[in-house]
Amino acid sequence: MPGLMIDREVLIEAPVEVVWRTITEPDQVRQWFADRVDLVVEPGAHGYMEFGDQGGPVVVEVVDPPTRFSFRWNYPRGEEPVAGNSMLVEFTLTPEGDERTRLRVVESGHELLAWPDAEKQRYADEHRDGWVDYLDRLITLLAKRQSR
Amino acid sequence: MTAQTDDELWSAIGDPSRRRVLDLLLSNGEVSASWLAGRVPFSRQAVSKHLVVLERTGLISRRKQGREVLYQVEADRLDQATRAMAELAAQWDRRLATIKRLAETAHAENKKRNRHEG
């Protein structure tokens, strides 16, 4: 899904180290993400996640404790995930004081990497408010059209 | 939707220029390629290319009226696409809410433990 981008965030009343452990320790990941998690949190590590009767491989990209963690998934079986054939999930943790953390997740098909810088910037600008705003706009326009 | 059509769909909407074209079609109904070209900062040729990509995903369709070709949004297909996208966003919201609950519970327990030890 190369063009898709989801951008969400949440404010958590806990220090950044606690949030980091929640999103990276397999025991914890099992509780918020997948039923089965085989994951070593090291750059380049290949893992596996299972959801109900579906599952798929994941590859860890960036591990920069306690602020950045990313992995690729949703890529064709038998292929190595690269920009263009997979989805990249990026977590960014920003401490706000000692006991509060802003957690942002961006899931995207990073064909962006191959784009010229100006285009990338424009894309990033357009996405600052997230895909869902664009969606809302589309849905509103759609509703208007249908009621005409 | 199959994975293949999903791919085409997302990359079709992922391009800012194509979203511009899609927006214009949504707010103006049936229009021609030259009408669109007069309202975007890119060439007539680029408009035609974007229309081809959008049409391939089923998001828009065209019909001939006299000498003109008119394009319009396929509401059902777009509706389907926006729902799928909204569902993905909602999935992440649910995951983030669980992460928040887990982290806040762990933090409260750590504090309690520290108080007992201290």
Side-chain angles (χ1 to χ4, degrees):
Chain A
M1 290 180 254
L4 177 68
M5 175 151 166
I6 304 277
D7 184 348
R8 314 299 286 166
E9 64 171 42
V10 68
L11 195 60
I12 300 174
E13 303 292 331
V16 68
E17 291 77 16
V18 175
V19 179
W20 174 260
R21 285 198 294 273
T22 311
I23 63 167
T24 55
E25 284 178 2
D27 274 356
Q28 304 271 304
V29 179
R30 255 187 292 278
Q31 297 187 56
W32 62 265
F33 197 34
D35 304 324
R36 194 186 124 201
V37 179
D38 293 331
L39 190 66
V40 182
V41 181
E42 274 169 25
H46 287 61
Y48 190 88
M49 296 206 198
E50 204 169 84
F51 308 85
D53 53 358
Q54 290 190 320
V58 295
V59 171
V60 178
E61 287 233 325
V62 176
V63 182
D64 188 2
T67 56
R68 283 180 69 217
F69 171 51
S70 68
F71 61 86
R72 284 190 180 278
W73 66 331
N74 274 343
Y75 51 93
R77 232 166 254 279
E79 284 182 29
E80 274 300 298
V82 288
N85 76 347
S86 58
M87 294 299 286
L88 179 66
V89 176
E90 297 171 280
F91 288 101
T92 312
L93 296 75
T94 313
E96 297 199 350
D98 291 343
E99 300 208 342
R100 183 180 279 180
T101 306
R102 187 170 296 279
L103 173 64
R104 179 178 179 212
V105 61
V106 175
E107 177 167 20
S108 61
H110 248 219
E111 69 176 15
L112 281 179
L113 293 174
W115 291 10
D117 282 348
E119 192 76 347
K120 248 190 289 193
Q121 190 52 49
R122 192 150 62 95
Y123 191 81
D125 285 348
E126 286 204 2
H127 281 96
R128 192 165 296 149
D129 298 325
W131 260 97
V132 171
D133 289 344
Y134 175 69
L135 262 185
D136 288 345
R137 203 151 48 84
L138 276 187
I139 291 167
T140 312
L141 283 169
L142 203 60
K144 268 197 213 135
R145 256 179 63 87
Q146 280 167 335
S147 64
R148 249 206 310 256
Chain B
M1 280 190 282
T2 67
Q4 183 61 39
T5 56
D6 267 354
D7 274 2
E8 284 188 2
L9 188 92
W10 300 127
S11 49
I13 319 185
D15 179 282
S17 306
R18 279 196 288 274
R19 285 214 300 276
R20 189 82 176 261
V21 170
L22 201 56
D23 280 353
L24 282 169
L25 285 171
L26 265 167
S27 29
N28 295 283
E30 256 190 335
V31 294
S32 68
S34 26
W35 185 92
L36 286 167
R39 278 154 189 84
V40 290
F42 37 89
S43 70
R44 170 69 212 262
Q45 283 88 337
V47 169
S48 303
K49 268 201 266 176
H50 291 318
L51 288 170
V52 168
V53 174
L54 288 171
E55 199 185 350
R56 208 165 46 210
T57 64
L59 284 169
I60 65 170
S61 62
R62 64 164 135 180
R63 71 179 179 96
K64 258 192 135 153
Q65 191 178 50
R67 285 176 165 184
E68 254 192 335
V69 177
L70 298 177
Y71 293 86
Q72 68 163 351
V73 167
E74 284 296 307
D76 287 348
R77 179 76 170 122
L78 186 59
D79 195 44
Q80 198 185 15
T82 49
R83 269 174 219 275
M85 218 189 301
E87 175 48 35
L88 281 177
Q91 236 171 39
W92 275 114
D93 282 343
R94 287 194 291 272
R95 288 174 190 145
L96 290 183
T98 311
I99 291 172
K100 178 180 165 73
R101 184 172 49 77
L102 290 169
E104 288 178 355
T105 308
H107 179 47
E109 278 168 11
N110 289 345
K111 277 213 295 207
K112 219 190 295 176
R113 202 174 313 137
N114 288 345
R115 256 203 309 274
H116 285 306
E117 284 168 10

